[in-house]
Amino acid sequence: MSSGLVEKFKSGLWKDNPGLVQLLGLCPLLAVTATFVNGLGLGLATLLVLMASNALVSATRRWIQPEIRVPIYVLIIASLVTCIELVFKAWFPDLDRSLGIFIPLIVTNCAIVARAEVFASRNPVGPSILDGLVMGSGFALLLMAIGAFRELFGQGTLFSRMDMLLGGEPMRGIVIADGGWLLLVLPPGAFFSLALAIAAKNAIDRRRKDANTPIPRRARTLNR
Amino acid sequence: MAEQPIWKSGVTLAIIAAFCTALVALTWQLTAERIEINKTAWLERSLQPALAGLFFDSSVTESMIRIPQPHELPGTEDAIVYRVYAGDEPVAALFVVSARDGYAGPIRLLIGIAMDGTVTGVRVLEHRETPGLGDRVDTTKSDWVLQFDGHSLRDPELAGWAIRSDGGKFDQLTGASITPRAVIKAIRETLVYFDANPDIIFAPLPQPVADDTEEPE
C-alpha cells in the first residue's frame, strides 16, 4: 500500500502536477506569484479548499444524480472558498489584502472542479482527501517555486513580507540585491517563469527516460 | 441507473444548498469579531500618515462622523471625517473623500488638515489609475503625494492649487495630468470646506460619551 502512496505523491507533485502538466488553475498561478509569500498563501488556500471539496464531493457522491452534479460542485466549492476567505480575513488580514480578489477567485480554479469530477466523485472519502492533499501540494509547491524565482530575480529578495503569514513586524526577508529584472515581477514574467518551469520539467523527464518508459505526459484536456 | 424524477434532484440540491449555507454562516459566526478588529486596526494604521507630528490623546477611529450628501466636499457619497483632539481642543480633521474625475474611476483619498489649515498628510487609499503613469500618486510608487504636506490655502493662494502646466504651484506626473489634477482639486475643495464649516466638522458626536463621575442610580 505504501508503494501506492508513493506513486500517488509522485503523480500529484510531478507526473500529473496540476499546474505543470494539466495546466489547470493558470489564472491565479500567473497572477499572484510575484513573491514567495503570495505563492505560499494562495497555495495553502487552494490546498485547503481542494481537500475539503474532495471530501465533501466524495461523501455526497451516492446522492448526487449525474444531471445536477455540476451545480452541486459549484455550490460546495463556492461555500468552501467563502469560508477560507473569512478565515484569511480573520487571521491573515495582510495576506488577504495582498492576494485581494484571488482568494475569492479560487472558486474558478478549474483544478478543483477537475479533481471533484475525475477523482472524488468516484472514490471513497479517505483516498479523495489524500488526492486533494497530493494535488493541492503539487499546485502549492509550483506556486511557491515560481514565486521564489520571480521574487529572487525580479526584486532581489527572498521570503520578504513573511510577516503576512507569520505575524509580527514587516519583514524584508533575505535581501540579495537592490532590485532585479523588473520584467519578472510584471505579468509577462509570470508567463516566462511558468514556461521555464515546464521546460525544465520536460528536460528532466527526458533525461531520466529509459528506453522502456513511455513519453512523459504533456498538457492534456479533461476528455476521457 | 433508473431515470430520477426532477423533484428528487431539486430536493438534493436544496439540502446541499442548506448545508453549504450553514457552513458559511458558522464560519462567519466564528470569524466576524476578529475581522471587525482587524478592520479597525488596519484603519488606524492607514490613518497614521496624516497624524504624523500631531499631539493628540483621543481615539481617532471612535471620533468618526459622516457628512451626508449633499455636501461641498469631493465625492458623490457621504464623506467620512475623523476628528483628532487633545483633551477637548480639536487638533486636526482627517477626511476620507473621493476625487471623482480620476482617469479610471474615483480615487479614494485620505486628507489630514491641522487646525491652522495646513495639510498634515495626503494618501491615496484606493484607485484604479494606469500602472506606471497615474498610479504614481500612490506612496508605494512615488513620493509625489508628499509635496502637499505643510501647505495651506494661504500657501499657495487658491489659484496656485493646480499643477504647473495649469499655472499652479505643484508638480505633475510625467505622462499623467488627469490624475494629479483630480487629486489636487480634491485637496483644494477639502481645504475650502474645512475653512468654511468648522461647526459641522467638529460638531459633537450625536451620542455623547457618558460622564463616568456620575454615580449610577
Side-chain angles (χ1 to χ4, degrees), chain B residues 89-160:
Chain B
E89 284 299 304
V91 174
L94 317 182
F95 294 82
V96 178
V97 293
S98 296
R100 260 169 311 145
D101 24 22
Y103 189 70
I107 306 168
R108 287 292 267 175
L109 290 169
L110 168 72
I111 302 169
I113 305 174
M115 286 316 284
D116 62 357
T118 57
V119 173
T120 62
V122 179
R123 286 297 180 283
V124 173
L125 301 176
E126 241 182 272
H127 73 86
R128 280 185 301 229
E129 301 303 296
T130 320
L133 295 173
D135 77 333
R136 279 171 296 160
V137 293
D138 198 325
T139 42
T140 59
K141 302 279 157 62
S142 92
D143 287 342
W144 180 82
V145 87
L146 303 180
Q147 64 175 321
F148 304 104
D149 295 7
H151 287 283
S152 70
L153 284 182
R154 294 176 301 283
D155 168 32
E157 298 287 325
L158 196 58

Coordinates of all heavy atoms in Angstrom, one line a residue, chain B residues 89-160:
Chain B
E89 N -9.7 70.1 23.0 CA -9.4 71.0 21.9 C -9.2 70.2 20.6 O -8.4 69.3 20.6 CB -8.1 71.7 22.2 CG -8.2 72.9 23.2 CD -9.1 74.0 22.7 OE1 -8.9 74.5 21.6 OE2 -10.1 74.3 23.3
P90 N -9.9 70.6 19.6 CA -9.7 70.0 18.3 C -8.3 70.3 17.8 O -7.8 71.4 17.9 CB -10.7 70.5 17.3 CG -11.2 71.8 18.0 CD -11.0 71.6 19.5
V91 N -7.6 69.3 17.2 CA -6.2 69.4 16.7 C -6.2 69.3 15.2 O -5.5 70.1 14.6 CB -5.4 68.3 17.3 CG1 -4.0 68.3 16.7 CG2 -5.3 68.4 18.8
A92 N -7.0 68.4 14.7 CA -7.0 68.2 13.2 C -8.2 67.5 12.8 O -8.9 66.9 13.7 CB -5.7 67.5 12.8
A93 N -8.4 67.4 11.5 CA -9.5 66.6 11.0 C -9.0 65.8 9.8 O -8.2 66.3 9.0 CB -10.7 67.4 10.5
L94 N -9.3 64.5 9.8 CA -8.9 63.7 8.6 C -10.1 63.3 7.8 O -11.1 62.8 8.3 CB -8.2 62.4 9.2 CG -7.3 62.4 10.3 CD1 -6.7 61.1 10.7 CD2 -6.1 63.4 10.0
F95 N -10.0 63.7 6.5 CA -11.1 63.5 5.6 C -10.9 62.2 4.7 O -9.8 62.1 4.2 CB -11.3 64.7 4.7 CG -11.7 65.9 5.4 CD1 -10.8 66.7 6.1 CD2 -13.1 66.3 5.5 CE1 -11.2 67.8 6.8 CE2 -13.5 67.5 6.1 CZ -12.5 68.2 6.8
V96 N -11.9 61.4 4.6 CA -11.8 60.4 3.6 C -12.8 60.8 2.5 O -14.1 60.7 2.7 CB -12.1 59.0 4.1 CG1 -12.1 57.9 3.0 CG2 -11.1 58.6 5.2
V97 N -12.3 61.2 1.3 CA -13.2 61.7 0.3 C -12.8 61.0 -1.1 O -11.7 60.4 -1.1 CB -13.1 63.2 0.1 CG1 -13.7 63.9 1.4 CG2 -11.7 63.6 -0.1
S98 N -13.6 61.2 -2.1 CA -13.3 60.6 -3.4 C -13.1 61.7 -4.4 O -14.0 62.6 -4.6 CB -14.4 59.7 -3.9 OG -14.5 58.6 -3.0
A99 N -11.9 61.7 -5.1 CA -11.8 62.6 -6.3 C -12.5 61.9 -7.4 O -12.1 60.7 -7.8 CB -10.3 62.8 -6.6
R100 N -13.5 62.5 -7.9 CA -14.4 61.8 -8.9 C -13.8 61.8 -10.3 O -14.1 61.0 -11.1 CB -15.8 62.4 -9.0 CG -16.8 61.7 -8.2 CD -18.0 62.5 -8.1 NE -17.7 63.9 -7.6 CZ -18.3 65.0 -8.1 NH1 -19.3 64.9 -8.9 NH2 -17.9 66.1 -7.6
D101 N -12.9 62.8 -10.6 CA -12.5 63.0 -12.0 C -11.2 62.3 -12.3 O -10.4 62.8 -13.0 CB -12.5 64.4 -12.4 CG -12.4 65.3 -11.2 OD1 -11.9 64.8 -10.2 OD2 -12.8 66.5 -11.3
G102 N -10.9 61.2 -11.6 CA -9.7 60.4 -12.0 C -9.8 59.9 -13.4 O -10.8 59.9 -14.0
Y103 N -8.7 59.3 -13.8 CA -8.6 58.8 -15.2 C -9.5 57.5 -15.3 O -10.1 57.3 -16.3 CB -7.2 58.5 -15.6 CG -7.0 58.1 -17.0 CD1 -7.1 59.1 -18.0 CD2 -6.7 56.8 -17.4 CE1 -7.0 58.8 -19.3 CE2 -6.5 56.5 -18.7 CZ -6.7 57.5 -19.7 OH -6.5 57.2 -21.0
A104 N -9.5 56.7 -14.3 CA -10.2 55.4 -14.3 C -11.0 55.3 -13.0 O -10.6 54.6 -12.1 CB -9.3 54.3 -14.5
G105 N -12.1 56.0 -12.9 CA -12.9 55.9 -11.7 C -12.5 56.8 -10.6 O -11.4 57.4 -10.7
P106 N -13.2 56.8 -9.5 CA -12.9 57.6 -8.4 C -11.6 57.2 -7.7 O -11.2 56.1 -7.7 CB -14.1 57.4 -7.4 CG -14.7 56.2 -7.8 CD -14.4 56.0 -9.3
I107 N -10.9 58.2 -7.1 CA -9.7 58.0 -6.3 C -10.0 58.3 -4.9 O -10.4 59.4 -4.5 CB -8.6 58.9 -6.8 CG1 -8.4 58.8 -8.3 CG2 -7.3 58.6 -6.0 CD1 -7.5 59.8 -8.9
R108 N -10.0 57.3 -4.0 CA -10.2 57.5 -2.6 C -9.0 58.1 -1.9 O -7.9 57.6 -2.1 CB -10.5 56.1 -1.8 CG -11.8 55.5 -2.1 CD -13.0 56.2 -1.6 NE -13.4 55.8 -0.2 CZ -14.3 56.4 0.4 NH1 -14.9 57.4 -0.1 NH2 -14.7 55.9 1.6
L109 N -9.3 59.2 -1.2 CA -8.1 60.0 -0.6 C -8.3 60.1 0.8 O -9.4 60.3 1.3 CB -8.1 61.4 -1.3 CG -7.7 61.5 -2.7 CD1 -7.9 62.9 -3.2 CD2 -6.2 61.1 -2.9
L110 N -7.2 60.1 1.6 CA -7.2 60.5 3.0 C -6.5 61.8 3.0 O -5.3 61.9 2.5 CB -6.4 59.4 3.8 CG -6.1 59.8 5.2 CD1 -7.3 59.9 6.1 CD2 -5.0 58.9 5.8
I111 N -7.1 62.8 3.6 CA -6.5 64.2 3.6 C -6.6 64.6 5.1 O -7.7 64.8 5.6 CB -7.3 65.2 2.7 CG1 -7.3 64.6 1.3 CG2 -6.7 66.5 2.8 CD1 -8.2 65.4 0.3
G112 N -5.4 64.9 5.7 CA -5.4 65.4 7.0 C -5.1 66.9 7.0 O -4.3 67.4 6.3
I113 N -5.9 67.6 7.8 CA -5.8 69.1 7.9 C -5.7 69.5 9.3 O -6.6 69.2 10.1 CB -6.9 69.8 7.2 CG1 -7.1 69.3 5.7 CG2 -6.7 71.3 7.2 CD1 -8.3 69.9 5.0
A114 N -4.6 70.2 9.7 CA -4.5 70.7 11.1 C -5.4 71.9 11.3 O -5.9 72.5 10.3 CB -3.0 71.0 11.4
M115 N -5.5 72.4 12.5 CA -6.5 73.5 12.8 C -6.0 74.8 12.2 O -6.9 75.6 11.9 CB -6.5 73.7 14.4 CG -7.3 72.7 15.1 SD -8.9 72.2 14.3 CE -9.9 73.6 14.7
D116 N -4.7 75.0 11.9 CA -4.3 76.2 11.2 C -4.5 76.1 9.7 O -4.1 77.0 9.0 CB -2.9 76.5 11.6 CG -1.9 75.4 11.2 OD1 -2.4 74.4 10.6 OD2 -0.7 75.6 11.3
G117 N -5.1 75.0 9.2 CA -5.4 74.9 7.8 C -4.3 74.4 7.0 O -4.4 74.4 5.8
T118 N -3.2 73.9 7.6 CA -2.2 73.2 6.8 C -2.4 71.7 6.6 O -3.0 71.1 7.5 CB -0.8 73.4 7.4 OG1 -0.8 72.9 8.8 CG2 -0.4 74.9 7.5
V119 N -2.0 71.2 5.5 CA -2.2 69.8 5.2 C -1.2 69.0 6.0 O 0.0 69.3 6.0 CB -2.0 69.6 3.7 CG1 -1.9 68.1 3.4 CG2 -3.0 70.3 2.9
T120 N -1.6 68.0 6.8 CA -0.7 67.2 7.6 C -0.3 66.0 6.8 O 0.7 65.3 7.1 CB -1.4 66.8 8.9 OG1 -2.5 66.0 8.6 CG2 -1.8 67.9 9.7
G121 N -1.1 65.6 5.8 CA -0.7 64.4 5.0 C -1.8 64.0 4.1 O -3.0 64.2 4.4
V122 N -1.4 63.5 2.9 CA -2.4 63.1 1.9 C -2.0 61.7 1.5 O -0.8 61.4 1.3 CB -2.4 64.0 0.7 CG1 -3.4 63.4 -0.3 CG2 -2.8 65.4 1.0
R123 N -2.9 60.7 1.5 CA -2.6 59.4 1.0 C -3.7 58.9 0.1 O -4.9 59.3 0.3 CB -2.5 58.4 2.1 CG -1.3 58.5 3.0 CD 0.0 58.2 2.2 NE 1.2 58.3 3.0 CZ 1.7 59.4 3.4 NH1 1.2 60.6 3.0 NH2 2.8 59.4 4.2
V124 N -3.3 58.2 -1.0 CA -4.3 57.6 -1.8 C -4.7 56.2 -1.2 O -3.8 55.4 -1.0 CB -3.8 57.4 -3.3 CG1 -4.7 56.6 -4.1 CG2 -3.5 58.8 -3.9
L125 N -6.0 56.1 -0.9 CA -6.4 54.8 -0.3 C -6.8 53.8 -1.3 O -6.6 52.6 -1.1 CB -7.6 55.1 0.7 CG -7.4 56.0 1.8 CD1 -8.6 56.3 2.6 CD2 -6.3 55.5 2.8
E126 N -7.4 54.2 -2.4 CA -7.9 53.3 -3.4 C -7.9 54.0 -4.7 O -8.3 55.2 -4.8 CB -9.3 53.0 -3.1 CG -9.6 51.5 -2.8 CD -11.1 51.4 -2.5 OE1 -11.5 51.5 -1.3 OE2 -11.9 51.2 -3.4
H127 N -7.5 53.3 -5.8 CA -7.5 53.9 -7.1 C -7.4 52.9 -8.2 O -7.1 51.7 -7.9 CB -6.4 54.9 -7.3 CG -5.0 54.2 -7.4 ND1 -4.6 53.8 -8.7 CD2 -4.1 53.8 -6.5 CE1 -3.4 53.2 -8.5 NE2 -3.1 53.2 -7.2
R128 N -7.7 53.2 -9.4 CA -7.6 52.3 -10.5 C -6.9 53.0 -11.6 O -7.1 52.8 -12.8 CB -9.0 51.8 -11.0 CG -9.5 50.7 -10.1 CD -10.8 50.2 -10.7 NE -11.7 51.3 -10.8 CZ -13.0 51.3 -10.4 NH1 -13.5 50.2 -9.8 NH2 -13.8 52.3 -10.5
E129 N -5.9 53.9 -11.3 CA -5.2 54.6 -12.3 C -4.2 53.7 -13.0 O -3.9 52.6 -12.6 CB -4.5 55.8 -11.7 CG -5.4 56.8 -10.9 CD -6.5 57.3 -11.8 OE1 -6.2 58.0 -12.8 OE2 -7.7 57.1 -11.5
T130 N -3.8 54.2 -14.2 CA -2.9 53.4 -15.1 C -1.6 53.0 -14.4 O -0.9 53.9 -13.9 CB -2.6 54.2 -16.4 OG1 -3.8 54.9 -16.8 CG2 -2.1 53.2 -17.5
P131 N -1.2 51.7 -14.3 CA 0.1 51.4 -13.8 C 1.2 52.1 -14.5 O 1.2 52.1 -15.8 CB 0.1 49.9 -13.9 CG -1.3 49.4 -14.1 CD -2.0 50.6 -14.7
G132 N 2.1 52.6 -13.8 CA 3.3 53.3 -14.4 C 3.1 54.7 -14.8 O 4.0 55.5 -15.0
L133 N 1.8 55.2 -14.8 CA 1.5 56.6 -15.1 C 0.8 57.2 -13.9 O 1.5 57.7 -13.0 CB 0.7 56.8 -16.4 CG 1.4 56.3 -17.7 CD1 0.4 56.4 -18.8 CD2 2.6 57.2 -17.9
G134 N -0.5 57.1 -13.9 CA -1.3 57.8 -12.8 C -1.1 57.1 -11.5 O -1.4 57.7 -10.5
D135 N -0.7 55.9 -11.5 CA -0.6 55.2 -10.2 C 0.5 55.7 -9.3 O 0.7 55.2 -8.2 CB -0.5 53.6 -10.4 CG 0.8 53.2 -10.8 OD1 1.6 53.9 -11.4 OD2 1.1 52.0 -10.5
R136 N 1.3 56.6 -9.9 CA 2.4 57.1 -9.0 C 1.9 58.1 -8.0 O 2.7 58.7 -7.2 CB 3.5 57.8 -9.9 CG 4.4 56.7 -10.5 CD 5.4 57.3 -11.5 NE 4.6 57.7 -12.7 CZ 5.0 58.6 -13.5 NH1 6.2 59.1 -13.4 NH2 4.3 59.0 -14.6
V137 N 0.6 58.4 -7.9 CA 0.1 59.1 -6.8 C 0.1 58.3 -5.5 O 0.0 58.8 -4.4 CB -1.4 59.6 -7.0 CG1 -1.4 60.6 -8.2 CG2 -2.3 58.4 -7.3
D138 N 0.3 57.0 -5.7 CA 0.4 56.1 -4.5 C 1.8 56.1 -3.9 O 2.8 56.1 -4.7 CB 0.1 54.7 -5.1 CG -0.3 53.7 -3.9 OD1 0.3 53.9 -2.8 OD2 -1.1 52.8 -4.2
T139 N 1.9 56.2 -2.6 CA 3.2 56.4 -2.0 C 4.1 55.1 -2.2 O 5.3 55.2 -2.0 CB 3.1 56.6 -0.5 OG1 2.1 55.7 0.1 CG2 2.8 58.0 -0.2
T140 N 3.5 54.0 -2.5 CA 4.4 52.8 -2.7 C 5.1 53.0 -4.1 O 6.1 52.3 -4.4 CB 3.6 51.5 -2.7 OG1 2.6 51.6 -3.8 CG2 3.0 51.3 -1.4
K141 N 4.6 53.9 -4.9 CA 5.2 54.0 -6.3 C 6.1 55.3 -6.4 O 7.1 55.3 -7.1 CB 4.1 54.1 -7.3 CG 3.2 52.9 -7.4 CD 3.9 51.7 -8.1 CE 3.3 50.4 -7.7 NZ 1.9 50.2 -8.0
S142 N 5.7 56.4 -5.8 CA 6.5 57.6 -5.8 C 6.1 58.5 -4.6 O 5.1 58.3 -4.0 CB 6.3 58.4 -7.1 OG 5.3 59.3 -7.0
D143 N 6.9 59.6 -4.4 CA 6.7 60.5 -3.3 C 5.8 61.7 -3.7 O 5.7 62.6 -3.0 CB 8.0 61.0 -2.8 CG 8.7 59.9 -2.0 OD1 8.1 58.9 -1.6 OD2 9.9 60.0 -1.8
W144 N 5.2 61.6 -4.9 CA 4.5 62.8 -5.4 C 3.5 63.4 -4.4 O 3.4 64.6 -4.3 CB 3.8 62.4 -6.7 CG 3.0 63.5 -7.3 CD1 3.5 64.5 -8.2 CD2 1.6 63.8 -7.2 NE1 2.5 65.3 -8.5 CE2 1.4 64.9 -8.0 CE3 0.6 63.2 -6.5 CZ2 0.1 65.5 -8.0 CZ3 -0.7 63.8 -6.6 CH2 -0.9 64.9 -7.3
V145 N 2.8 62.5 -3.8 CA 1.7 63.0 -2.9 C 2.2 63.6 -1.6 O 1.4 64.3 -0.9 CB 0.7 61.8 -2.7 CG1 1.1 61.0 -1.5 CG2 -0.7 62.2 -2.6
L146 N 3.5 63.5 -1.4 CA 4.0 64.1 -0.1 C 4.2 65.6 -0.3 O 4.5 66.3 0.7 CB 5.4 63.5 0.3 CG 5.3 61.9 0.5 CD1 6.7 61.4 0.8 CD2 4.3 61.6 1.5
Q147 N 4.2 66.1 -1.5 CA 4.6 67.6 -1.7 C 3.5 68.5 -1.1 O 3.8 69.7 -1.0 CB 4.7 67.8 -3.2 CG 3.4 67.6 -4.0 CD 3.5 68.1 -5.5 OE1 4.2 69.0 -5.8 NE2 2.9 67.3 -6.3
F148 N 2.4 68.0 -0.7 CA 1.3 68.9 -0.2 C 1.5 69.1 1.3 O 0.9 70.1 1.8 CB 0.0 68.3 -0.5 CG -0.3 68.0 -1.9 CD1 -0.2 66.7 -2.4 CD2 -0.5 69.1 -2.8 CE1 -0.4 66.5 -3.7 CE2 -0.7 68.8 -4.1 CZ -0.7 67.6 -4.6
D149 N 2.3 68.3 2.0 CA 2.5 68.5 3.4 C 2.9 69.9 3.8 O 3.8 70.4 3.2 CB 3.5 67.5 3.9 CG 3.1 66.0 3.8 OD1 2.0 65.8 3.1 OD2 3.7 65.1 4.3
G150 N 2.2 70.5 4.7 CA 2.6 71.8 5.2 C 2.0 72.9 4.4 O 2.2 74.1 4.8
H151 N 1.4 72.6 3.3 CA 0.8 73.7 2.5 C -0.7 74.0 3.0 O -1.3 73.1 3.6 CB 0.8 73.4 1.0 CG 2.1 73.5 0.4 ND1 2.7 74.7 0.1 CD2 3.0 72.5 0.1 CE1 3.9 74.5 -0.4 NE2 4.2 73.1 -0.4
S152 N -1.1 75.2 2.7 CA -2.5 75.6 3.1 C -3.1 76.5 2.0 O -2.4 76.7 1.0 CB -2.5 76.3 4.5 OG -1.9 77.6 4.3
L153 N -4.2 77.0 2.3 CA -4.9 77.9 1.3 C -4.2 79.3 1.2 O -4.4 80.0 0.3 CB -6.4 78.1 1.6 CG -7.2 76.9 1.2 CD1 -8.7 77.2 1.5 CD2 -7.1 76.5 -0.3
R154 N -3.3 79.6 2.2 CA -2.5 80.8 2.1 C -1.2 80.6 1.4 O -0.6 81.5 0.9 CB -2.3 81.4 3.5 CG -3.5 81.8 4.3 CD -3.2 82.2 5.7 NE -2.6 81.2 6.4 CZ -3.3 80.1 7.0 NH1 -4.6 80.0 6.8 NH2 -2.6 79.2 7.6
D155 N -0.8 79.3 1.3 CA 0.5 79.0 0.7 C 0.4 77.7 -0.1 O 0.4 76.6 0.5 CB 1.5 78.8 1.9 CG 2.8 78.1 1.4 OD1 3.1 78.4 0.2 OD2 3.4 77.3 2.2
P156 N 0.1 77.8 -1.4 CA -0.1 79.0 -2.1 C -1.6 79.4 -2.0 O -2.4 78.8 -1.4 CB 0.2 78.5 -3.5 CG -0.2 77.0 -3.5 CD 0.0 76.5 -2.1
E157 N -1.9 80.6 -2.7 CA -3.3 81.0 -2.8 C -4.1 80.0 -3.6 O -3.6 79.2 -4.2 CB -3.3 82.4 -3.5 CG -2.5 83.5 -2.8 CD -3.3 84.0 -1.5 OE1 -4.5 84.0 -1.6 OE2 -2.6 84.3 -0.5
L158 N -5.4 80.2 -3.5 CA -6.3 79.3 -4.1 C -6.0 78.9 -5.5 O -6.0 77.8 -5.9 CB -7.8 79.9 -4.0 CG -8.9 78.9 -4.3 CD1 -8.9 77.7 -3.3 CD2 -10.2 79.6 -4.2
A159 N -5.6 80.0 -6.3 CA -5.3 79.7 -7.7 C -4.0 78.9 -7.9 O -3.8 78.3 -9.0 CB -5.1 81.1 -8.5
G160 N -3.2 78.9 -6.9 CA -1.9 78.1 -7.0 C -2.1 76.6 -6.8 O -1.2 75.8 -7.0

